């Protein structure tokens, strides 16, 4: 995908490069202090292509489309995020329903983002798919809802991306006002990653831990 001496310009290129340079290394998910999942960079890139193939088979050309992601912290969230990118679309991460929250409260929390971003495709975990289908019906959204199991294909596909392409619509938490979305490009996020890498003087064997929503 990239010449050996090229610098990644998109998030897909970053992921591909990481899988090539560090075989076997990847992302580990912990819950309650226990590792529950390990996903190598190479596996994540391959899974992303298979999900992109499934999206394209079902919905055709998706370049420029915004697709909502509703997952708990998990490997599937990452698969969905990179799968949407591989399809040429833009992921819109939204919060998953809280365990003690009602479907109505959850719907109010993400209603604005779904309408503002003109969402017509939603991806979610198996448990949340029925909630999303009911919410789309209530809001009158002409939206399709899928779990990842619906989308995985034998033949992966990856769209060509450019640094100026949209990589993410990031919404504020909505704790003090209605959530507001900000569009970030691949180039902006890659530049931020590079700045963090340089500021921390990170080396190839360093391990990072992130505790973010």
């Amino acid at each position: 995908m990239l010449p050996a001496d090229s610098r990644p310009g998109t998030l897909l290129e970053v992921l591909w490069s990481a899988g090539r340079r560090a075989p076997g290394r990847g992302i580990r998910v912990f819950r309650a202090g226990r590792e529950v999942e390990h996903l190598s960079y190479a596996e994540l890139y391959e899974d992303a292509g298979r999900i992109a193939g499934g999206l394209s088979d079902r919905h055709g050309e998706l370049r420029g489309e915004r697709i909502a992601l509703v997952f708990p912290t998990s490997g599937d969230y990452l698969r969905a995020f990179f799968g949407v990118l591989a399809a040429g679309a833009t992921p819109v991460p939204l919060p998953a329903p809280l365990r003690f929250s009602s479907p109505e409260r959850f719907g109010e929390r993400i209603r604005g983002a779904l309408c503002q971003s003109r969402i017509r495709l939603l991806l979610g975990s198996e448990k949340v798919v029925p909630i999303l289908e009911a919410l789309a019906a209530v809001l009158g959204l002409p939206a399709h809802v899928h779990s990842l199991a619906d989308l995985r294909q034998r033949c992966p596909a990856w769209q060509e991306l450019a640094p100026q392409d949209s990589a993410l619509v990031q919404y504020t938490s909505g704790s003090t006002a209605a959530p507001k979305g900000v569009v970030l490009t691949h180039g902006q996020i890659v530049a931020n990653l590079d700045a963090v890498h340089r500021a921390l003087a990170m080396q190839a064997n360093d391990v990072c831990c992130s505790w973010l929503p």
Side-chain angles (χ1 to χ4, degrees):
M1 185 173 184
L2 285 174
D5 58 349
S6 294
R7 293 176 63 85
T10 70
L11 291 178
L12 271 184
E13 290 175 353
V14 169
L15 179 60
W16 180 87
S17 180
R20 176 178 175 274
R21 295 174 185 274
R25 298 192 68 178
I27 297 166
R28 300 176 185 272
V29 179
F30 290 81
R31 291 197 187 92
R34 183 171 61 88
E35 182 179 327
V36 295
E37 191 168 6
H38 173 243
L39 182 61
S40 76
Y41 299 127
E43 290 171 336
L44 181 54
Y45 184 79
E46 185 73 14
D47 285 346
R50 295 186 187 283
I51 291 165
L55 284 168
S56 298
D57 282 352
R58 286 174 176 263
H59 300 288
E61 174 63 46
L62 290 171
R63 184 168 294 276
E65 193 78 30
R66 294 174 177 176
I67 301 179
L69 309 182
V70 186
F71 292 86
T73 301
S74 61
D76 275 351
Y77 167 78
L78 294 169
R79 292 181 180 95
F81 182 89
F82 282 100
V84 169
L85 291 181
T90 303
V92 183
L94 298 176
L98 297 175
R99 182 180 300 177
F100 303 110
S101 175
S102 68
E104 292 77 17
R105 173 68 182 123
F106 170 65
E108 287 300 318
R109 191 178 182 192
I110 69 170
R111 175 197 300 264
L114 293 175
C115 295
Q116 289 169 9
S117 291
R118 296 183 176 89
I119 299 296
R120 72 179 187 94
L121 277 171
L122 300 96
L123 306 185
S125 63
E126 296 280 355
K127 290 183 178 180
V128 82
V129 162
I131 298 174
L132 295 176
E133 290 174 335
L135 178 59
V138 168
L139 296 179
L141 292 175
H144 299 273
V145 182
H146 297 295
S147 69
L148 295 191
D150 296 336
L151 300 174
R152 287 194 177 96
Q153 300 289 306
R154 290 185 178 180
C155 297
W158 299 269
Q159 294 290 325
E160 288 294 328
L161 302 174
Q164 65 269 23
D165 290 340
S166 299
L168 168 69
V169 179
Q170 182 174 339
Y171 275 88
T172 55
S173 66
S175 56
T176 59
K180 298 177 178 63
V182 176
V183 180
L184 301 174
T185 67
H186 285 269
Q188 289 170 331
I189 298 176
V190 171
N192 182 254
L193 293 173
D194 186 57
V196 171
H197 180 271
R198 287 185 284 106
L200 298 180
M202 296 176 67
Q203 304 298 316
N205 291 326
D206 287 340
V207 176
C208 296
C209 179
S210 176
W211 188 8
L212 294 172

